[in-house]
Amino acid sequence: MAQVDEPTNADAAITSSDVVYHAEVERICASAAFQRAPVMRRLLRFLVAETFAGRGDNLKAYGVAVDGLGKDSGFDPQSDSYPRVQVGRLRRMIAEFYEHAGDGPDGIRVAIPNGSYKVHWLIGTLTSPCPDTISPELPSPVPIPLYRRPAVAFATAAVAILLLVTAWAIVDRSKGTPGRPPAVAVQTASLAPSPVMDIAPVDAVDGADPLLAERIDRVLGDALHRSWSLSVRPLATRGKGSTRPASDYRLTGTLVGAERKLLYLTLSNSRDGTQFWSQRLEMADVGSLREALSPTIATIMSPFGVIGARERNILSGDFSPGFPCMMRYTEYYTANAVELQAPVHRCLQETLTRDPGYSPALSAEIVMRFRDATQQPENSETIRREALPLARQAIDANPHSAEAAMAMALAAYANGMCELGRANALRALERNPFDSLAYAQTGLFMYQCGDKDYEETLKRAWLLDPSLPAFMAMPILVSMGNRGEGEAALRFALSLPMGQEYRKPAYDVTLAVAYAAAGDRAMARTKWQSAARAVNAAPDAAPDAVLQKIVLTPQLADRMVRYLRDRGVFG
């Protein structure tokens, strides 16, 4: 067998399917030694996934530490050998595994050569790099963004642009929209892209620590690329003759002072310089920069955040395939507006016709179908079952996408497949830990499945975005009521955004749960009756039949009915 320290360049093609490699990685992770070492399992899966994605040669100590081992973005690879030590430990554990378990099928072995983070496969006497693709079930954290890799940023961006032009052209995403010049249309069958935001380096003034400013830069750059609703790039000077397209938005930051350490962040329109959002944060005595900045990051990058709200207004009435359609979907989701249901369905279908693997649209289509199921209870089982192939389509198209993992999580949870749902939801949240809606959806389904982590997950959602729809807080209210915190539960419920029009039934049910938690059965019944009337339920309709018209799954409806019945809201 070839020495792992100096792998040969095997020209022989690897004829086994990706499933073989996936199975070998999972065989290692299932061993007793690796089951006792979750950090090693995560590290192995990360290195394999990065190599399969074609980034193995670019793996550096910083990326391995932050994305593979979960270190804070302020990690300094020059002074800390942690990633090298851990990869060395991983090499030893893999070697010990093969000493006891032997080779995999066809003599396959996983190998990580000394002095490298790239994974190779030993096959007989040959060593081969990982193939170019990997089975979609293999978890992988998000790769290090270009913003943190300036040396390769422009080369990678150029390749990405070339591939995008080959696959589909950038269309005029704002044709007929005031305030935004049209883009050049290369092809007709294309998707309107997300807006582009430039990130300027944080300035350190008045004695502020430049190293802290640099760490803030890294956190923002690492975080803000993770949402489909923004294309993010580092700010670059556009010299004379530059062909770099203008951005839509610009984020700037200033760190002020040596002691109080005030961070000022500002968002502006790149085309006319108009400032439309700003925030001041105190950075003194901050433990984790990522945690301190998380709510602000969510406010900027979320499709429900400050840029998302602005884009919905700019693109009002625009159902063009791609980003405008997704904005209309978020409008439908937040307002539950019936008049938007049919046109949103149509634009999602058109989006997926043009790009069948566009995972944000696939995830949205799955949620839309769940809404259809609440309106068609006689077909609900079939509709939910049809969500699974849609989710598989998303995973097959982009196995490293947070949205694809969330699509699979939603489809699995809705079909009662709790373990598969949890695994994919946690994968999605690892890839985008700033997605408040994904946390809220995951928490709801965890509650449905009896998962003890539901309350912590939902609280994280509200930490990131206090404006989430009230009905998503129902499990938190139940938990607080069960702990005897009924009055606090009611105060929390009354602080949530009020549901108007199409949101009112879900809002009334949420208040019914809160009043029940507080022991006020009369008000709980009043709110329940209001919700039942709003969905045109018969006076003698069974509670579960009423709730199935309001919440996404019958399992969640059943848990809420049991709670309200136990609290004496109805018999």
Side-chain angles (χ1 to χ4, degrees), residues 2 10 17 49 107 179 206 217 247 328-329 347 361 381 384 387 428 450 470 527 543:
S17 70
D206 295 342
D217 273 343
S247 64
R328 297 284 74 77
Y329 163 74
C347 77
E381 185 175 346
R384 291 189 181 91
K527 292 299 179 182

Side-chain angles (χ1 to χ4, degrees), residues 4 6-16 18 21 47-57 108-113 116-123 126-134:
V4 177
E6 296 181 1
T8 62
N9 289 322
D11 294 324
I14 299 175
T15 57
S16 303
D18 292 348
Y21 303 108
L47 296 177
V48 170
E50 288 294 282
T51 304
F52 266 93
R55 294 184 288 266
D57 290 327
I108 290 177
R109 286 192 177 208
V110 174
I112 305 173
S116 171
Y117 296 121
K118 183 176 180 178
V119 175
H120 286 67
W121 298 95
L122 296 177
I123 306 175
L126 296 175
T127 304
S128 174
C130 287
D132 293 333
T133 57
I134 190 166

Side-chain angles (χ1 to χ4, degrees), residues 248-254 264-280 306-307 310:
D248 299 295
Y249 300 106
R250 179 178 296 181
L251 176 67
T252 58
T254 304
Y264 294 87
L265 294 174
T266 300
L267 273 172
S268 59
N269 183 324
S270 293
R271 301 185 188 277
D272 61 16
T274 304
Q275 177 181 320
F276 61 90
W277 175 89
S278 64
Q279 189 171 57
R280 189 187 77 170
V306 60
I307 292 179
R310 182 181 173 87

Side-chain angles (χ1 to χ4, degrees), residues 443 447 451-456 458-459 472-490 492 513-514 516-518 559-560 563 567:
Y447 174 75
D451 190 320
K452 61 182 177 58
D453 292 330
Y454 77 88
E455 187 173 5
E456 179 183 349
L458 284 170
K459 286 181 176 179
M472 290 182 157
M474 282 194 284
I476 296 179
L477 302 175
V478 168
S479 182
M480 295 175 74
N482 288 338
R483 291 196 299 265
E485 302 169 4
E487 292 300 324
L490 181 57
F492 174 50
V513 171
R559 289 210 65 175
M560 300 312 304
Y563 178 78
R567 291 281 170 162

Side-chain angles (χ1 to χ4, degrees), residues 397-515:
N398 191 349
H400 304 292
S401 161
E403 290 80 16
M406 199 63 209
M408 179 56 76
L410 293 173
Y413 272 132
N415 284 278
M417 304 161 71
C418 292
E419 290 305 316
L420 181 61
R422 176 186 170 90
N424 279 277
L426 294 181
R427 204 169 297 165
L429 295 177
E430 182 179 22
R431 293 170 185 173
N432 184 1
F434 310 98
D435 188 340
S436 58
L437 179 60
Y439 274 102
Q441 290 172 328
T442 300
L444 279 176
F445 282 116
M446 283 181 165
Y447 174 75
Q448 165 188 300
C449 288
D451 190 320
K452 61 182 177 58
D453 292 330
Y454 77 88
E455 187 173 5
E456 179 183 349
T457 304
L458 284 170
K459 286 181 176 179
R460 176 71 178 175
W462 258 267
L463 172 68
L464 293 173
D465 184 3
S467 67
L468 286 167
F471 79 90
M472 290 182 157
M474 282 194 284
I476 296 179
L477 302 175
V478 168
S479 182
M480 295 175 74
N482 288 338
R483 291 196 299 265
E485 302 169 4
E487 292 300 324
L490 181 57
R491 287 194 300 272
F492 174 50
L494 293 173
S495 73
L496 297 172
M498 292 183 63
Q500 301 295 332
E501 299 181 359
Y502 303 109
R503 280 278 183 204
K504 195 170 189 309
Y507 181 70
D508 283 340
V509 170
T510 304
L511 290 185
V513 171
Y515 279 112

